[in-house]
Amino acid sequence: MHGSMKKIVVMIALLCAAAGTAWAAQAVNESYPVASNAEVDVENLAGSLVFEGWDRDEVEVTGTLGDGVERLDVENDEEGLYIEVVFDEDYHGKQVNSTDLTIRLPIGASLSVETVSSSISVAGINGDVDLESVSGFILVTGWPVSMDVETVSGKIDLESAPAGTDVASVSGLIKIGSAAGDLDAENVSGDIMIGGGALDGADLETVSGNITCKAMPTGAGDIDMETMSGTLTLTVDEGMVAYYEISTFSGTIVNKIGPAPQRTSKYTPGQELSFNTGSGGPQISLTSFSGTVKLLTN
């Protein structure tokens, strides 16, 4: 994944260093003029961030700053708007209380967000969306023109994934309602679930998480699904033209559209299968070291 994690590391250090003086929560209600395609960058430690697209050329920020927050730092220039929730260095409370903000911005704006444990909700933004969190839940509805999303342990829930989407997690679930174009999704122990759509190409990888994909390959690019110990499940339309390569070292292969799998050797439990369902179409590779591989039809 792209994007700097250094700032997040610094924010984690501030969060962990919080350990006396009470600071009252502060209400926020501010507006800033911006261009319709402005770049909006936001940083926050803990709490919630709700972003809503609207048809005004301004950014409106409402909500509450949590205890221990010194101020809301805002920089507005010709390129866009930068918003940072600034933690007070003299605050030594046992924890940083939530900062909860609702930020309305132009529909065509580009949005970049970095948080530690703050949840992120984005709706109605058509520009570029770049979101990073450590443990916060991320929800995106609508169709941004491009999307980069990364968490460590937080769940990622995307209504749609436009062409070129790059999404990654370590242990959080990655759920995509509908994918379009090419897709890159990576996870370690969390699952990847794609409910539908049309893929021009995809690279889907986990270590121990399961991968379930119901998006249809269009034939414009290859589909590669790989895991070490998780289960792979790909569902395609019956009669779709494609070339399939399926293998597992110690798992099993369930194939509902073609020939039965073969043992790779009489001395090992591995299975493999290569076949095509017509001339042309994408190459589809399904590989698991010890998990089950399932090729199903609608």
Side-chain angles (χ1 to χ4, degrees):
M1 285 289 295
H2 310 297
S4 171
M5 292 300 288
K6 292 182 179 179
K7 293 181 180 178
I8 287 182
V9 171
V10 172
M11 287 193 288
I12 291 175
L14 289 172
L15 190 61
C16 294
T21 302
W23 295 78
Q26 307 169 56
V28 177
N29 189 346
E30 302 175 5
S31 296
Y32 306 91
V34 296
S36 60
N37 61 345
E39 298 179 5
V40 179
D41 296 337
V42 181
E43 294 186 16
N44 185 33
L45 279 172
S48 65
L49 295 173
V50 176
F51 298 91
E52 299 174 353
W54 64 357
D55 58 0
R56 302 183 189 178
D57 292 345
E58 67 176 351
V59 173
E60 178 189 77
V61 184
T62 60
T64 305
L65 302 180
D67 294 351
V69 174
E70 178 183 354
R71 68 185 186 277
L72 190 68
D73 195 0
V74 180
E75 296 180 13
N76 192 4
D77 57 31
E78 59 184 14
E79 293 184 358
L81 193 70
Y82 172 75
I83 302 171
E84 180 182 4
V85 180
V86 180
F87 179 77
D88 195 289
E89 296 180 356
D90 295 328
Y91 180 71
H92 300 292
K94 293 182 179 180
Q95 65 179 12
V96 178
N97 291 336
S98 295
T99 289
D100 302 307
L101 300 176
T102 296
I103 300 175
R104 295 178 176 87
L105 62 160
I107 294 172
S110 295
L111 177 64
S112 178
V113 184
E114 294 183 5
T115 78
V116 176
S117 61
S118 177
S119 64
I120 304 171
S121 175
V122 179
I125 302 300
N126 296 338
D128 300 322
V129 172
D130 188 345
L131 311 174
E132 295 183 13
S133 183
V134 176
S135 60
F137 169 72
I138 296 177
L139 171 66
V140 182
T141 58
W143 285 88
V145 68
S146 70
M147 194 150 45
D148 257 315
V149 183
E150 179 178 1
T151 72
V152 176
S153 60
K155 175 184 176 182
I156 297 172
D157 190 344
L158 310 179
E159 179 184 30
S160 65
T165 292
D166 195 350
V167 56
S169 182
V170 175
S171 60
L173 168 68
I174 295 174
K175 181 181 179 182
I176 299 172
S178 180
D182 54 309
L183 172 66
D184 191 339
E186 301 177 11
N187 213 329
V188 178
S189 60
D191 295 344
I192 298 174
M193 301 173 59
I194 304 169
L199 291 173
D200 294 340
D203 189 356
L204 313 177
E205 298 182 11
T206 71
V207 176
S208 60
N210 302 321
I211 304 176
T212 302
C213 180
K214 295 183 179 180
M216 294 299 105
T218 65
D222 298 334
I223 307 296
D224 189 354
M225 297 171 58
E226 183 176 350
T227 183
M228 284 293 293
S229 60
T231 296
L232 300 182
T233 304
L234 175 64
T235 302
V236 299
D237 288 335
E238 189 172 2
M240 187 189 76
V241 175
Y243 174 73
Y244 295 91
E245 288 189 348
I246 308 172
S247 65
T248 179
F249 179 76
S250 60
T252 59
I253 296 174
V254 177
N255 181 24
K256 296 297 185 179
I257 67 172
Q262 303 295 319
R263 290 277 298 272
T264 56
S265 168
K266 65 180 180 178
Y267 303 107
T268 63
Q271 295 183 344
E272 63 182 8
L273 182 59
S274 298
F275 68 99
N276 61 61
T277 54
S279 178
Q283 178 171 306
I284 297 176
S285 176
L286 310 175
T287 306
S288 178
F289 184 80
S290 60
T292 298
V293 180
K294 300 178 182 181
L295 181 58
L296 309 177
T297 61
N298 288 312

